[in-house]
PDB file of all heavy atoms in Angstrom:
ATOM      1  N   SER A   1       2.967  13.906  -3.991  1.00 96.00           N
ATOM      2  CA  SER A   1       2.859  14.251  -2.488  1.00 96.00           C
ATOM      3  C   SER A   1       3.567  13.167  -1.730  1.00 96.00           C
ATOM      4  O   SER A   1       3.321  11.974  -1.884  1.00 96.00           O
ATOM      5  CB  SER A   1       1.503  14.433  -1.976  1.00 96.00           C
ATOM      6  OG  SER A   1       1.539  14.525  -0.585  1.00 96.00           O
ATOM      7  N   GLY A   2       4.383  13.587  -0.692  1.00 96.00           N
ATOM      8  CA  GLY A   2       5.211  12.553   0.143  1.00 96.00           C
ATOM      9  C   GLY A   2       4.304  12.171   1.387  1.00 96.00           C
ATOM     10  O   GLY A   2       4.959  11.420   2.185  1.00 96.00           O
ATOM     11  N   TYR A   3       3.189  12.705   1.494  1.00 97.00           N
ATOM     12  CA  TYR A   3       2.346  12.374   2.713  1.00 97.00           C
ATOM     13  C   TYR A   3       1.691  11.044   2.616  1.00 97.00           C
ATOM     14  O   TYR A   3       1.176  10.697   1.616  1.00 97.00           O
ATOM     15  CB  TYR A   3       1.411  13.467   2.952  1.00 97.00           C
ATOM     16  CG  TYR A   3       0.456  13.180   4.185  1.00 97.00           C
ATOM     17  CD1 TYR A   3       0.835  13.324   5.445  1.00 97.00           C
ATOM     18  CD2 TYR A   3      -0.911  12.896   3.908  1.00 97.00           C
ATOM     19  CE1 TYR A   3      -0.020  12.947   6.411  1.00 97.00           C
ATOM     20  CE2 TYR A   3      -1.751  12.543   4.908  1.00 97.00           C
ATOM     21  CZ  TYR A   3      -1.304  12.617   6.235  1.00 97.00           C
ATOM     22  OH  TYR A   3      -2.142  12.359   7.168  1.00 97.00           O
ATOM     23  N   ARG A   4       1.785  10.358   3.715  1.00 98.00           N
ATOM     24  CA  ARG A   4       0.882   9.088   3.851  1.00 98.00           C
ATOM     25  C   ARG A   4       0.022   9.159   4.986  1.00 98.00           C
ATOM     26  O   ARG A   4       0.422   9.566   6.090  1.00 98.00           O
ATOM     27  CB  ARG A   4       1.885   7.836   4.029  1.00 98.00           C
ATOM     28  CG  ARG A   4       2.898   7.628   2.847  1.00 98.00           C
ATOM     29  CD  ARG A   4       3.529   6.251   3.133  1.00 98.00           C
ATOM     30  NE  ARG A   4       4.776   6.106   2.471  1.00 98.00           N
ATOM     31  CZ  ARG A   4       5.970   6.299   3.141  1.00 98.00           C
ATOM     32  NH1 ARG A   4       5.927   6.337   4.311  1.00 98.00           N
ATOM     33  NH2 ARG A   4       7.106   6.085   2.394  1.00 98.00           N
ATOM     34  N   GLN A   5      -1.200   8.601   4.810  1.00 98.00           N
ATOM     35  CA  GLN A   5      -2.099   8.501   5.928  1.00 98.00           C
ATOM     36  C   GLN A   5      -1.857   7.256   6.847  1.00 98.00           C
ATOM     37  O   GLN A   5      -1.388   6.282   6.334  1.00 98.00           O
ATOM     38  CB  GLN A   5      -3.510   8.418   5.432  1.00 98.00           C
ATOM     39  CG  GLN A   5      -4.127   9.631   4.701  1.00 98.00           C
ATOM     40  CD  GLN A   5      -5.653   9.501   4.344  1.00 98.00           C
ATOM     41  OE1 GLN A   5      -6.367   8.925   5.135  1.00 98.00           O
ATOM     42  NE2 GLN A   5      -5.950   9.884   3.261  1.00 98.00           N
ATOM     43  N   PRO A   6      -2.094   7.296   8.215  1.00 98.00           N
ATOM     44  CA  PRO A   6      -1.702   6.159   8.940  1.00 98.00           C
ATOM     45  C   PRO A   6      -2.890   5.264   8.780  1.00 98.00           C
ATOM     46  O   PRO A   6      -4.093   5.554   8.574  1.00 98.00           O
ATOM     47  CB  PRO A   6      -1.789   6.865  10.295  1.00 98.00           C
ATOM     48  CG  PRO A   6      -2.685   7.968  10.175  1.00 98.00           C
ATOM     49  CD  PRO A   6      -2.514   8.596   8.840  1.00 98.00           C
ATOM     50  N   LYS A   7      -2.448   3.907   9.018  1.00 98.00           N
ATOM     51  CA  LYS A   7      -3.346   2.732   8.978  1.00 98.00           C
ATOM     52  C   LYS A   7      -4.386   2.720   7.863  1.00 98.00           C
ATOM     53  O   LYS A   7      -5.600   2.548   7.932  1.00 98.00           O
ATOM     54  CB  LYS A   7      -4.244   2.844  10.356  1.00 98.00           C
ATOM     55  CG  LYS A   7      -3.351   2.624  11.568  1.00 98.00           C
ATOM     56  CD  LYS A   7      -2.632   1.252  11.644  1.00 98.00           C
ATOM     57  CE  LYS A   7      -3.684   0.239  11.934  1.00 98.00           C
ATOM     58  NZ  LYS A   7      -2.884  -1.137  12.232  1.00 98.00           N
ATOM     59  N   VAL A   8      -3.707   2.803   6.695  1.00 98.00           N
ATOM     60  CA  VAL A   8      -4.546   2.795   5.506  1.00 98.00           C
ATOM     61  C   VAL A   8      -4.027   1.654   4.524  1.00 98.00           C
ATOM     62  O   VAL A   8      -2.863   1.108   4.688  1.00 98.00           O
ATOM     63  CB  VAL A   8      -4.676   3.999   4.629  1.00 98.00           C
ATOM     64  CG1 VAL A   8      -5.281   5.116   5.546  1.00 98.00           C
ATOM     65  CG2 VAL A   8      -3.277   4.490   4.314  1.00 98.00           C
ATOM     66  N   VAL A   9      -4.761   1.213   3.591  1.00 98.00           N
ATOM     67  CA  VAL A   9      -4.313   0.329   2.640  1.00 98.00           C
ATOM     68  C   VAL A   9      -4.704   0.923   1.256  1.00 98.00           C
ATOM     69  O   VAL A   9      -5.759   1.427   0.976  1.00 98.00           O
ATOM     70  CB  VAL A   9      -4.988  -1.230   2.761  1.00 98.00           C
ATOM     71  CG1 VAL A   9      -6.499  -0.996   2.657  1.00 98.00           C
ATOM     72  CG2 VAL A   9      -4.511  -2.154   1.557  1.00 98.00           C
ATOM     73  N   VAL A  10      -3.757   0.887   0.279  1.00 98.00           N
ATOM     74  CA  VAL A  10      -3.789   1.505  -0.959  1.00 98.00           C
ATOM     75  C   VAL A  10      -3.340   0.591  -2.024  1.00 98.00           C
ATOM     76  O   VAL A  10      -2.310  -0.274  -1.931  1.00 98.00           O
ATOM     77  CB  VAL A  10      -2.866   2.681  -1.119  1.00 98.00           C
ATOM     78  CG1 VAL A  10      -3.058   3.367  -2.379  1.00 98.00           C
ATOM     79  CG2 VAL A  10      -3.194   3.675   0.085  1.00 98.00           C
ATOM     80  N   ASP A  11      -4.046   0.462  -3.160  1.00 98.00           N
ATOM     81  CA  ASP A  11      -3.672  -0.360  -4.419  1.00 98.00           C
ATOM     82  C   ASP A  11      -2.557   0.488  -5.128  1.00 98.00           C
ATOM     83  O   ASP A  11      -2.856   1.608  -5.664  1.00 98.00           O
ATOM     84  CB  ASP A  11      -4.831  -0.521  -5.222  1.00 98.00           C
ATOM     85  CG  ASP A  11      -4.440  -1.554  -6.362  1.00 98.00           C
ATOM     86  OD1 ASP A  11      -3.384  -1.992  -6.500  1.00 98.00           O
ATOM     87  OD2 ASP A  11      -5.327  -1.857  -7.238  1.00 98.00           O
ATOM     88  N   ILE A  12      -1.391  -0.095  -5.250  1.00 98.00           N
ATOM     89  CA  ILE A  12      -0.298   0.601  -5.878  1.00 98.00           C
ATOM     90  C   ILE A  12       0.064  -0.028  -7.145  1.00 98.00           C
ATOM     91  O   ILE A  12       1.165   0.176  -7.679  1.00 98.00           O
ATOM     92  CB  ILE A  12       0.945   0.634  -4.914  1.00 98.00           C
ATOM     93  CG1 ILE A  12       1.485  -0.714  -4.553  1.00 98.00           C
ATOM     94  CG2 ILE A  12       0.777   1.600  -3.843  1.00 98.00           C
ATOM     95  CD1 ILE A  12       2.750  -0.661  -3.896  1.00 98.00           C
ATOM     96  N   GLY A  13      -0.744  -0.948  -7.668  1.00 98.00           N
ATOM     97  CA  GLY A  13      -0.519  -1.584  -9.017  1.00 98.00           C
ATOM     98  C   GLY A  13      -1.116  -0.745 -10.255  1.00 98.00           C
ATOM     99  O   GLY A  13      -2.265  -0.200 -10.109  1.00 98.00           O
ATOM    100  N   PHE A  14      -0.364  -0.629 -11.131  1.00 98.00           N
ATOM    101  CA  PHE A  14      -0.745   0.129 -12.342  1.00 98.00           C
ATOM    102  C   PHE A  14      -1.694  -0.645 -13.233  1.00 98.00           C
ATOM    103  O   PHE A  14      -1.668  -1.727 -13.341  1.00 98.00           O
ATOM    104  CB  PHE A  14       0.377   0.525 -13.251  1.00 98.00           C
ATOM    105  CG  PHE A  14       0.112   1.398 -14.399  1.00 98.00           C
ATOM    106  CD1 PHE A  14       0.161   2.856 -14.195  1.00 98.00           C
ATOM    107  CD2 PHE A  14      -0.204   1.026 -15.640  1.00 98.00           C
ATOM    108  CE1 PHE A  14      -0.192   3.685 -15.215  1.00 98.00           C
ATOM    109  CE2 PHE A  14      -0.645   1.793 -16.622  1.00 98.00           C
ATOM    110  CZ  PHE A  14      -0.459   3.057 -16.454  1.00 98.00           C
ATOM    111  N   GLY A  15      -2.799   0.182 -13.619  1.00 97.00           N
ATOM    112  CA  GLY A  15      -3.877  -0.507 -14.368  1.00 97.00           C
ATOM    113  C   GLY A  15      -4.697  -1.447 -13.489  1.00 97.00           C
ATOM    114  O   GLY A  15      -5.159  -1.137 -12.408  1.00 97.00           O
ATOM    115  N   ASN A  16      -4.973  -2.717 -14.073  1.00 96.00           N
ATOM    116  CA  ASN A  16      -5.745  -3.574 -13.263  1.00 96.00           C
ATOM    117  C   ASN A  16      -4.981  -4.483 -12.173  1.00 96.00           C
ATOM    118  O   ASN A  16      -5.610  -5.307 -11.613  1.00 96.00           O
ATOM    119  CB  ASN A  16      -6.452  -4.552 -14.346  1.00 96.00           C
ATOM    120  CG  ASN A  16      -7.282  -3.925 -15.184  1.00 96.00           C
ATOM    121  OD1 ASN A  16      -8.047  -2.926 -14.830  1.00 96.00           O
ATOM    122  ND2 ASN A  16      -7.397  -4.233 -16.412  1.00 96.00           N
ATOM    123  N   ARG A  17      -3.767  -4.261 -12.045  1.00 98.00           N
ATOM    124  CA  ARG A  17      -2.951  -4.973 -11.140  1.00 98.00           C
ATOM    125  C   ARG A  17      -3.427  -4.738  -9.735  1.00 98.00           C
ATOM    126  O   ARG A  17      -3.833  -3.540  -9.488  1.00 98.00           O
ATOM    127  CB  ARG A  17      -1.410  -4.662 -11.172  1.00 98.00           C
ATOM    128  CG  ARG A  17      -0.761  -5.000 -12.620  1.00 98.00           C
ATOM    129  CD  ARG A  17       0.514  -4.416 -12.667  1.00 98.00           C
ATOM    130  NE  ARG A  17       1.274  -4.735 -13.920  1.00 98.00           N
ATOM    131  CZ  ARG A  17       1.175  -3.924 -15.004  1.00 98.00           C
ATOM    132  NH1 ARG A  17       0.399  -2.900 -15.070  1.00 98.00           N
ATOM    133  NH2 ARG A  17       1.815  -4.297 -16.108  1.00 98.00           N
ATOM    134  N   GLU A  18      -3.334  -5.581  -8.898  1.00 98.00           N
ATOM    135  CA  GLU A  18      -3.680  -5.472  -7.410  1.00 98.00           C
ATOM    136  C   GLU A  18      -2.404  -5.578  -6.533  1.00 98.00           C
ATOM    137  O   GLU A  18      -2.004  -6.732  -6.244  1.00 98.00           O
ATOM    138  CB  GLU A  18      -4.760  -6.249  -7.004  1.00 98.00           C
ATOM    139  CG  GLU A  18      -6.126  -5.891  -7.458  1.00 98.00           C
ATOM    140  CD  GLU A  18      -7.326  -6.646  -6.945  1.00 98.00           C
ATOM    141  OE1 GLU A  18      -6.967  -7.675  -5.991  1.00 98.00           O
ATOM    142  OE2 GLU A  18      -8.440  -6.417  -7.060  1.00 98.00           O
ATOM    143  N   TYR A  19      -1.697  -4.635  -6.261  1.00 98.00           N
ATOM    144  CA  TYR A  19      -0.521  -4.525  -5.442  1.00 98.00           C
ATOM    145  C   TYR A  19      -0.866  -3.750  -4.090  1.00 98.00           C
ATOM    146  O   TYR A  19      -1.183  -2.538  -4.183  1.00 98.00           O
ATOM    147  CB  TYR A  19       0.709  -4.004  -5.922  1.00 98.00           C
ATOM    148  CG  TYR A  19       1.031  -4.661  -7.254  1.00 98.00           C
ATOM    149  CD1 TYR A  19       2.016  -3.938  -8.057  1.00 98.00           C
ATOM    150  CD2 TYR A  19       0.644  -6.009  -7.622  1.00 98.00           C
ATOM    151  CE1 TYR A  19       2.456  -4.565  -9.292  1.00 98.00           C
ATOM    152  CE2 TYR A  19       1.277  -6.476  -8.895  1.00 98.00           C
ATOM    153  CZ  TYR A  19       2.035  -5.749  -9.693  1.00 98.00           C
ATOM    154  OH  TYR A  19       2.496  -6.316 -10.808  1.00 98.00           O
ATOM    155  N   TRP A  20      -0.969  -4.309  -2.885  1.00 98.00           N
ATOM    156  CA  TRP A  20      -1.678  -3.623  -1.708  1.00 98.00           C
ATOM    157  C   TRP A  20      -0.493  -3.150  -0.826  1.00 98.00           C
ATOM    158  O   TRP A  20       0.356  -3.996  -0.363  1.00 98.00           O
ATOM    159  CB  TRP A  20      -2.533  -4.644  -0.980  1.00 98.00           C
ATOM    160  CG  TRP A  20      -3.810  -5.023  -1.878  1.00 98.00           C
ATOM    161  CD1 TRP A  20      -3.953  -6.162  -2.524  1.00 98.00           C
ATOM    162  CD2 TRP A  20      -4.774  -4.174  -2.245  1.00 98.00           C
ATOM    163  NE1 TRP A  20      -5.067  -6.103  -3.185  1.00 98.00           N
ATOM    164  CE2 TRP A  20      -5.737  -4.875  -3.003  1.00 98.00           C
ATOM    165  CE3 TRP A  20      -5.167  -2.797  -2.062  1.00 98.00           C
ATOM    166  CZ2 TRP A  20      -6.727  -4.456  -3.760  1.00 98.00           C
ATOM    167  CZ3 TRP A  20      -6.416  -2.365  -2.622  1.00 98.00           C
ATOM    168  CH2 TRP A  20      -7.246  -3.151  -3.386  1.00 98.00           C
ATOM    169  N   ALA A  21      -0.546  -1.888  -0.490  1.00 98.00           N
ATOM    170  CA  ALA A  21       0.351  -1.315   0.446  1.00 98.00           C
ATOM    171  C   ALA A  21      -0.181  -0.823   1.718  1.00 98.00           C
ATOM    172  O   ALA A  21      -1.433  -0.276   1.735  1.00 98.00           O
ATOM    173  CB  ALA A  21       1.041  -0.008  -0.197  1.00 98.00           C
ATOM    174  N   PHE A  22       0.403  -1.183   2.818  1.00 98.00           N
ATOM    175  CA  PHE A  22      -0.094  -0.828   4.209  1.00 98.00           C
ATOM    176  C   PHE A  22       0.767   0.127   4.962  1.00 98.00           C
ATOM    177  O   PHE A  22       1.938   0.051   4.887  1.00 98.00           O
ATOM    178  CB  PHE A  22      -0.275  -2.163   4.966  1.00 98.00           C
ATOM    179  CG  PHE A  22      -1.055  -3.220   4.323  1.00 98.00           C
ATOM    180  CD1 PHE A  22      -0.656  -4.105   3.326  1.00 98.00           C
ATOM    181  CD2 PHE A  22      -2.479  -3.326   4.760  1.00 98.00           C
ATOM    182  CE1 PHE A  22      -1.503  -4.936   2.701  1.00 98.00           C
ATOM    183  CE2 PHE A  22      -3.213  -4.339   4.172  1.00 98.00           C
ATOM    184  CZ  PHE A  22      -2.763  -5.130   3.168  1.00 98.00           C
ATOM    185  N   THR A  23       0.157   1.022   5.663  1.00 98.00           N
ATOM    186  CA  THR A  23       0.943   1.893   6.510  1.00 98.00           C
ATOM    187  C   THR A  23       0.586   1.601   8.020  1.00 98.00           C
ATOM    188  O   THR A  23      -0.416   1.116   8.391  1.00 98.00           O
ATOM    189  CB  THR A  23       0.480   3.348   6.273  1.00 98.00           C
ATOM    190  OG1 THR A  23      -0.749   3.563   6.494  1.00 98.00           O
ATOM    191  CG2 THR A  23       0.978   3.800   4.843  1.00 98.00           C
ATOM    192  N   ASN A  24       1.403   1.967   8.977  1.00 98.00           N
ATOM    193  CA  ASN A  24       1.130   1.823  10.330  1.00 98.00           C
ATOM    194  C   ASN A  24       0.663   3.127  10.989  1.00 98.00           C
ATOM    195  O   ASN A  24       0.304   4.060  10.273  1.00 98.00           O
ATOM    196  CB  ASN A  24       2.494   1.263  11.100  1.00 98.00           C
ATOM    197  CG  ASN A  24       3.641   2.469  10.983  1.00 98.00           C
ATOM    198  OD1 ASN A  24       3.388   3.525  10.601  1.00 98.00           O
ATOM    199  ND2 ASN A  24       4.709   2.041  11.426  1.00 98.00           N
ATOM    200  N   GLU A  25       0.522   3.022  12.219  1.00 98.00           N
ATOM    201  CA  GLU A  25      -0.162   4.244  12.910  1.00 98.00           C
ATOM    202  C   GLU A  25       0.717   5.423  12.834  1.00 98.00           C
ATOM    203  O   GLU A  25       0.229   6.580  13.062  1.00 98.00           O
ATOM    204  CB  GLU A  25      -0.448   3.870  14.385  1.00 98.00           C
ATOM    205  CG  GLU A  25       0.785   3.726  15.190  1.00 98.00           C
ATOM    206  CD  GLU A  25       1.260   2.199  15.180  1.00 98.00           C
ATOM    207  OE1 GLU A  25       0.848   1.502  14.279  1.00 98.00           O
ATOM    208  OE2 GLU A  25       1.816   1.776  16.142  1.00 98.00           O
ATOM    209  N   HIS A  26       1.954   5.368  12.363  1.00 98.00           N
ATOM    210  CA  HIS A  26       2.807   6.519  12.142  1.00 98.00           C
ATOM    211  C   HIS A  26       2.936   7.017  10.661  1.00 98.00           C
ATOM    212  O   HIS A  26       3.693   7.820  10.366  1.00 98.00           O
ATOM    213  CB  HIS A  26       4.232   6.285  12.717  1.00 98.00           C
ATOM    214  CG  HIS A  26       4.275   5.737  14.009  1.00 98.00           C
ATOM    215  ND1 HIS A  26       3.914   6.522  15.223  1.00 98.00           N
ATOM    216  CD2 HIS A  26       4.450   4.483  14.514  1.00 98.00           C
ATOM    217  CE1 HIS A  26       3.895   5.806  16.222  1.00 98.00           C
ATOM    218  NE2 HIS A  26       4.314   4.520  16.027  1.00 98.00           N
ATOM    219  N   GLY A  27       2.138   6.435   9.828  1.00 98.00           N
ATOM    220  CA  GLY A  27       2.168   6.737   8.412  1.00 98.00           C
ATOM    221  C   GLY A  27       3.420   6.166   7.655  1.00 98.00           C
ATOM    222  O   GLY A  27       3.661   6.630   6.643  1.00 98.00           O
ATOM    223  N   GLN A  28       4.173   5.227   8.278  1.00 98.00           N
ATOM    224  CA  GLN A  28       5.336   4.639   7.705  1.00 98.00           C
ATOM    225  C   GLN A  28       4.748   3.489   6.854  1.00 98.00           C
ATOM    226  O   GLN A  28       3.943   2.637   7.108  1.00 98.00           O
ATOM    227  CB  GLN A  28       6.246   4.129   8.711  1.00 98.00           C
ATOM    228  CG  GLN A  28       6.955   5.288   9.561  1.00 98.00           C
ATOM    229  CD  GLN A  28       7.688   4.698  10.704  1.00 98.00           C
ATOM    230  OE1 GLN A  28       7.311   3.693  11.323  1.00 98.00           O
ATOM    231  NE2 GLN A  28       8.841   5.415  10.983  1.00 98.00           N
ATOM    232  N   LEU A  29       5.390   3.370   5.561  1.00 98.00           N
ATOM    233  CA  LEU A  29       4.978   2.167   4.661  1.00 98.00           C
ATOM    234  C   LEU A  29       5.683   0.976   5.219  1.00 98.00           C
ATOM    235  O   LEU A  29       6.953   0.910   5.347  1.00 98.00           O
ATOM    236  CB  LEU A  29       5.465   2.635   3.367  1.00 98.00           C
ATOM    237  CG  LEU A  29       5.297   1.439   2.304  1.00 98.00           C
ATOM    238  CD1 LEU A  29       3.801   1.048   2.035  1.00 98.00           C
ATOM    239  CD2 LEU A  29       5.892   1.888   0.967  1.00 98.00           C
ATOM    240  N   VAL A  30       4.968  -0.048   5.642  1.00 98.00           N
ATOM    241  CA  VAL A  30       5.495  -1.168   6.461  1.00 98.00           C
ATOM    242  C   VAL A  30       5.438  -2.477   5.600  1.00 98.00           C
ATOM    243  O   VAL A  30       6.036  -3.449   6.051  1.00 98.00           O
ATOM    244  CB  VAL A  30       4.938  -1.192   7.866  1.00 98.00           C
ATOM    245  CG1 VAL A  30       5.340  -0.069   8.809  1.00 98.00           C
ATOM    246  CG2 VAL A  30       3.500  -1.370   7.883  1.00 98.00           C
ATOM    247  N   ARG A  31       4.400  -2.509   4.818  1.00 98.00           N
ATOM    248  CA  ARG A  31       4.105  -3.820   3.975  1.00 98.00           C
ATOM    249  C   ARG A  31       3.641  -3.671   2.743  1.00 98.00           C
ATOM    250  O   ARG A  31       2.708  -2.726   2.536  1.00 98.00           O
ATOM    251  CB  ARG A  31       3.124  -4.706   5.008  1.00 98.00           C
ATOM    252  CG  ARG A  31       2.964  -6.098   4.468  1.00 98.00           C
ATOM    253  CD  ARG A  31       2.167  -6.917   5.480  1.00 98.00           C
ATOM    254  NE  ARG A  31       1.825  -8.236   5.071  1.00 98.00           N
ATOM    255  CZ  ARG A  31       0.698  -8.778   4.689  1.00 98.00           C
ATOM    256  NH1 ARG A  31      -0.433  -7.836   4.958  1.00 98.00           N
ATOM    257  NH2 ARG A  31       0.452  -9.928   4.387  1.00 98.00           N
ATOM    258  N   VAL A  32       3.939  -4.396   1.764  1.00 98.00           N
ATOM    259  CA  VAL A  32       3.431  -4.470   0.475  1.00 98.00           C
ATOM    260  C   VAL A  32       3.164  -6.005   0.031  1.00 98.00           C
ATOM    261  O   VAL A  32       4.106  -6.735   0.174  1.00 98.00           O
ATOM    262  CB  VAL A  32       4.306  -3.668  -0.597  1.00 98.00           C
ATOM    263  CG1 VAL A  32       3.832  -3.926  -2.041  1.00 98.00           C
ATOM    264  CG2 VAL A  32       4.478  -2.356  -0.209  1.00 98.00           C
ATOM    265  N   VAL A  33       1.954  -6.326  -0.544  1.00 98.00           N
ATOM    266  CA  VAL A  33       1.734  -7.642  -0.895  1.00 98.00           C
ATOM    267  C   VAL A  33       1.081  -7.609  -2.330  1.00 98.00           C
ATOM    268  O   VAL A  33       0.463  -6.773  -2.675  1.00 98.00           O
ATOM    269  CB  VAL A  33       0.813  -8.419   0.093  1.00 98.00           C
ATOM    270  CG1 VAL A  33       1.397  -8.581   1.418  1.00 98.00           C
ATOM    271  CG2 VAL A  33      -0.495  -7.660   0.222  1.00 98.00           C
ATOM    272  N   ALA A  34       1.410  -8.742  -2.999  1.00 98.00           N
ATOM    273  CA  ALA A  34       0.851  -8.966  -4.425  1.00 98.00           C
ATOM    274  C   ALA A  34       0.695 -10.532  -4.639  1.00 98.00           C
ATOM    275  O   ALA A  34       1.785 -11.184  -4.486  1.00 98.00           O
ATOM    276  CB  ALA A  34       1.640  -8.260  -5.442  1.00 98.00           C
ATOM    277  N   SER A  35      -0.408 -11.011  -4.975  1.00 98.00           N
ATOM    278  CA  SER A  35      -0.507 -12.396  -5.288  1.00 98.00           C
ATOM    279  C   SER A  35       0.243 -12.857  -6.570  1.00 98.00           C
ATOM    280  O   SER A  35       0.718 -13.791  -6.682  1.00 98.00           O
ATOM    281  CB  SER A  35      -2.097 -12.801  -5.466  1.00 98.00           C
ATOM    282  OG  SER A  35      -2.558 -12.092  -6.386  1.00 98.00           O
ATOM    283  N   LYS A  36       0.262 -11.744  -7.514  1.00 98.00           N
ATOM    284  CA  LYS A  36       0.929 -12.023  -8.771  1.00 98.00           C
ATOM    285  C   LYS A  36       1.541 -10.661  -9.216  1.00 98.00           C
ATOM    286  O   LYS A  36       0.939  -9.659  -9.298  1.00 98.00           O
ATOM    287  CB  LYS A  36       0.003 -12.491  -9.802  1.00 98.00           C
ATOM    288  CG  LYS A  36       0.743 -13.022 -11.046  1.00 98.00           C
ATOM    289  CD  LYS A  36      -0.278 -13.483 -12.115  1.00 98.00           C
ATOM    290  CE  LYS A  36       0.438 -13.946 -13.500  1.00 98.00           C
ATOM    291  NZ  LYS A  36      -0.543 -14.533 -14.264  1.00 98.00           N
ATOM    292  N   ILE A  37       2.903 -10.683  -9.582  1.00 98.00           N
ATOM    293  CA  ILE A  37       3.640  -9.606 -10.153  1.00 98.00           C
ATOM    294  C   ILE A  37       3.451  -9.612 -11.709  1.00 98.00           C
ATOM    295  O   ILE A  37       3.954 -10.762 -12.266  1.00 98.00           O
ATOM    296  CB  ILE A  37       5.098  -9.521  -9.741  1.00 98.00           C
ATOM    297  CG1 ILE A  37       5.271  -9.312  -8.170  1.00 98.00           C
ATOM    298  CG2 ILE A  37       5.873  -8.452 -10.438  1.00 98.00           C
ATOM    299  CD1 ILE A  37       4.734  -7.988  -7.760  1.00 98.00           C
TER     300      ILE A  37
END
């Protein structure tokens, strides 16, 4: 699905990885952070 919720954070790392993605109030993906790739 191409839909994103506004102002949410989601773990987008496969398995046990922690890659955090953030959306703004318009549902746009604006930031992704990971302490370790």
Side-chain angles (χ1 to χ4, degrees):
S1 168
Y3 173 75
R4 302 193 199 102
Q5 293 187 41
K7 297 295 289 184
V8 297
V9 56
V10 181
D11 185 359
I12 57 169
F14 186 85
N16 294 326
R17 298 172 179 85
E18 287 191 353
Y19 302 164
W20 300 104
F22 300 81
T23 62
N24 63 11
E25 62 272 23
H26 308 290
Q28 295 170 322
L29 176 62
V30 293
R31 183 170 179 249
V32 173
V33 295
S35 60
K36 184 178 182 181
I37 296 293

